[in-house]
């Protein structure tokens, strides 16, 4: 089988009401979708992570100009070789960020293609599923200009819990005193049952994060995500030794080379690579193996449209429990509940939470989904 074409679809749409996290205001939702064709008529789909402040055109240009020429004419079943060629070709100008995002989308499309060719879900090709379903947690709690906090967050928490979520992740990073009051208020409002995580999107220094950690420990926070800058690996290690709240990070790291430092230096309790950012299935299975060798559980970062969600579920299925015990710590699905006009509509058989509060791993061929081409046209970037 030979890859005959790699088409990039750039989708973008303004949000009716922009929302903020600690890094800025998100005014549009975008996606970079890869459609891979072969000489045997099999198609594969992939998606690159498109950060809230990231112009999708950057990763799209990398795919068109650097990655497409590398993979067209090649056999998709040589996926490992193709990954290394894509990485080596782009290494001098892109070891992190939009280049690995772009490689991820092409790699995911190649795996989808292989799965469709064999009539097997990607998790079977990767060695099998440890689980058929996963517990999701609700990501949301972005700020609106007109919003009043913490009242709006308390109402949001109650609505997620009423839908069946058992875990929620609060966006913080809006100032120490405000964050402390905010976290306490939400915990008081929802009671002791639900799991609560907090995510500062690296808004703090080590000193400020240490104060915050101490202040919110009584609120029984499960993990504190990206308290400090992703460049400050030693800072993470320092914070981890000071608190009983798990320290989590990884959405701003890429490839086995980047994760090698985080894992081997034991900097976090929970590692959060994004399948659509860190290098796709080929690279994330290696990151997963490194993490297992250092006994570090993975709970992937997920913040994309339907292809990204389906691909992430395939990856989550393959993550070994850490440790393998009668009651192991299981990965969760980060299930973004913030506004996204085409997240669900992009795919048929959209991902959803069942009445038990669980999300099923797709078990159809490849990623287990079909793409709605009408949505590609409707949201195509001008
Ligand atoms: Ca995050």
């Amino acid at each position: 089988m030979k890859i005959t074409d790699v088409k990039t679809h750039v989708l973008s749409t303004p949000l009716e009401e922009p929302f903020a996290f600690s890094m800025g205001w998100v005014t549009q939702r975008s996606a970079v979708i890869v459609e891979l064709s072969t000489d045997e008529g099999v198609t594969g789909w992939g998606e690159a992570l498109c950060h809230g402040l990231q112009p999708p055109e950057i990763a799209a240009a990398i795919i068109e100009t650097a990655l497409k020429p590398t993979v067209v004419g090649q056999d998709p079943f040589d996926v490992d070789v193709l990954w290394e060629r894509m990485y080596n070709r782009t290494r001098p100008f892109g070891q992190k960020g939009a280049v690995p995002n772009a490689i991820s989308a092409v790699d995911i499309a190649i795996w989808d293609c292989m799965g469709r060719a064999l009539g097997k879900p990607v998790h079977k090709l990767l060695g099998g599923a440890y689980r058929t379903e996963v517990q999701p947690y609700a990501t949301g709690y972005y700020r609106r200009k007109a919003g009043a906090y913490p009242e709006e967050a308390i109402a949001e928490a109650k609505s997620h819990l009423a839908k069946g979520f058992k875990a929620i992740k609060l966006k913080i990073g809006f100032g120490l005193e405000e964050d402390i009051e905010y976290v306490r208020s939400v915990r008081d409002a929802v009671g002791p049952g639900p799991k609560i995580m907090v995510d500062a999107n690296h808004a703090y220094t080590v000193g400020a994060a240490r104060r915050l950690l101490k202040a919110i420990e009584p609120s029984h926070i499960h993990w504190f995500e990206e308290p400090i800058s992703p460049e400050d690996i030693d800072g993470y290690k320092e914070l981890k030794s000071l608190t009983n709240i798990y320290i989590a990070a990884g959405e701003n790291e890429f490839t086995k080379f980047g994760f090698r430092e985080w894992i081997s230096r034991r900097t976090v309790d929970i590692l959060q690579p994004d399948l659509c950012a860190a290098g796709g299935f080929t690279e994330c299975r290696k990151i997963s193996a490194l993490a297992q060798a250092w006994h570090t559980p993975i709970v992937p970062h997920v913040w994309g449209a339907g292809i990204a969600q389906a691909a992430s579920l395939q990856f989550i299925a393959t993550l070994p429990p850490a440790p393998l015990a009668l009651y192991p710590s299981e990965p969760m699905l980060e299930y973004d509940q913030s506004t996204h006009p085409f997240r669900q509509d992009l795919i048929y058989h959209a991902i959803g939470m069942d009445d038990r509060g669980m999300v099923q791993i797709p078990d159809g061929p490849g990623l287990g989904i079909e793409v709605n081409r009408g949505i590609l046209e409707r949201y195509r970037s001008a």
Side-chain angles (χ1 to χ4, degrees):
M1 188 187 283
K2 293 268 188 286
I3 297 168
T4 51
D5 194 15
V6 177
K7 197 180 284 178
T8 312
H9 303 273
V10 176
L11 313 187
S12 201
T13 185
L15 289 171
E16 271 178 30
E17 185 176 23
F19 57 75
F21 65 133
S22 73
M23 294 175 67
W25 285 91
V26 177
T27 59
Q28 62 178 23
R29 291 299 290 241
S30 306
V32 181
I33 308 294
V34 162
E35 178 183 3
L36 186 142
S37 310
T38 62
D39 59 354
E40 295 184 15
V42 180
T43 298
W45 295 94
E47 180 176 342
L49 173 68
C50 196
H51 184 279
L53 307 179
Q54 180 176 347
E57 293 80 6
I58 301 172
I62 293 159
I63 294 166
E64 283 296 323
T65 58
L67 306 184
K68 179 178 169 178
T70 307
V71 302
V72 165
Q74 305 299 316
D75 183 344
F77 284 89
D78 291 332
V79 63
D80 217 277
V81 174
L82 298 181
W83 194 97
E84 296 295 337
R85 281 186 191 159
M86 289 192 283
Y87 181 78
N88 278 285
R89 170 153 186 185
T90 53
R91 175 198 274 135
F93 48 89
Q95 296 170 24
K96 294 180 191 280
V99 171
N101 294 171
I103 293 175
S104 304
V106 174
D107 182 80
I108 291 166
I110 293 174
W111 280 91
D112 186 32
C113 179
M114 289 193 291
R116 287 166 186 266
L118 297 172
K120 300 273 185 196
V122 169
H123 64 255
K124 285 281 184 200
L125 275 58
L126 290 169
Y130 286 93
R131 56 197 64 81
T132 57
E133 59 182 15
V134 59
Q135 184 185 308
Y137 73 82
T139 283
Y141 303 92
Y142 294 91
R143 302 289 172 103
R144 299 185 309 123
K145 276 219 167 70
Y149 300 93
E151 294 78 7
E152 195 158 303
I154 290 170
E156 183 177 345
K158 289 184 172 168
S159 106
H160 294 320
L161 297 173
K163 279 186 215 153
F165 280 103
K166 296 178 180 67
I168 56 178
K169 189 169 80 188
L170 306 178
K171 283 288 180 191
I172 58 169
F174 297 94
L176 270 189
E177 294 310 316
E178 170 157 353
D179 281 356
I180 292 167
E181 174 59 24
Y182 179 81
V183 172
R184 281 181 185 157
S185 303
V186 175
R187 172 54 87 196
D188 287 350
V190 302
K195 218 173 238 184
I196 298 183
M197 290 78 80
V198 298
D199 181 1
N201 291 99
H202 48 82
Y204 291 115
T205 59
V206 169
R210 184 179 62 227
R211 278 197 190 180
L212 185 49
L213 278 160
K214 290 294 166 196
I216 63 176
E217 271 179 2
S219 298
H220 301 289
I221 300 305
H222 184 58
W223 77 57
F224 188 160
E225 177 170 326
E226 289 205 301
I228 59 173
S229 300
E231 295 88 352
D232 189 4
I233 292 188
D234 288 327
Y236 274 90
K237 193 165 174 155
E238 200 179 324
L239 281 178
K240 181 165 153 273
S241 68
L242 298 175
T243 177
N244 63 13
I245 297 176
Y246 293 151
I247 300 292
E251 68 183 80
N252 282 297
E253 192 52 85
F254 310 88
T255 77
K256 55 187 168 290
F257 306 113
F259 277 97
R260 180 182 64 179
E261 300 304 311
W262 290 81
I263 295 167
S264 65
R265 288 162 70 179
R266 306 185 78 86
T267 52
V268 292
D269 297 294
I270 292 167
L271 204 65
Q272 301 173 302
D274 188 311
L275 182 79
C276 303
F281 290 111
T282 301
E283 196 67 349
C284 286
R285 74 194 301 204
K286 296 173 183 174
I287 294 166
S288 169
L290 283 175
Q292 190 189 22
W294 269 269
H295 304 277
T296 303
I298 288 181
V299 181
H301 175 263
V302 185
W303 205 75
I307 299 172
Q309 288 181 325
S312 297
L313 284 165
Q314 296 292 336
F315 178 51
I316 288 171
T318 70
L319 294 171
L324 198 56
L326 183 57
Y327 299 109
S329 141
E330 287 281 330
M332 289 191 283
L333 169 69
E334 176 168 21
Y335 199 1
D336 181 16
Q337 300 295 302
S338 63
T339 314
H340 193 319
F342 57 83
R343 181 199 291 123
Q344 299 281 85
D345 295 343
L346 177 64
I347 56 169
Y348 297 111
H349 319 300
I351 310 299
M353 184 166 64
D354 65 20
D355 53 10
R356 293 160 43 253
M358 301 297 279
V359 174
Q360 300 299 312
I361 309 284
D363 61 2
L367 302 178
I369 45 116
E370 292 298 335
V371 171
N372 182 340
R373 288 181 182 275
I375 295 296
L376 297 180
E377 295 311 318
R378 190 187 313 169
Y379 291 99
R380 189 175 299 285
S381 181

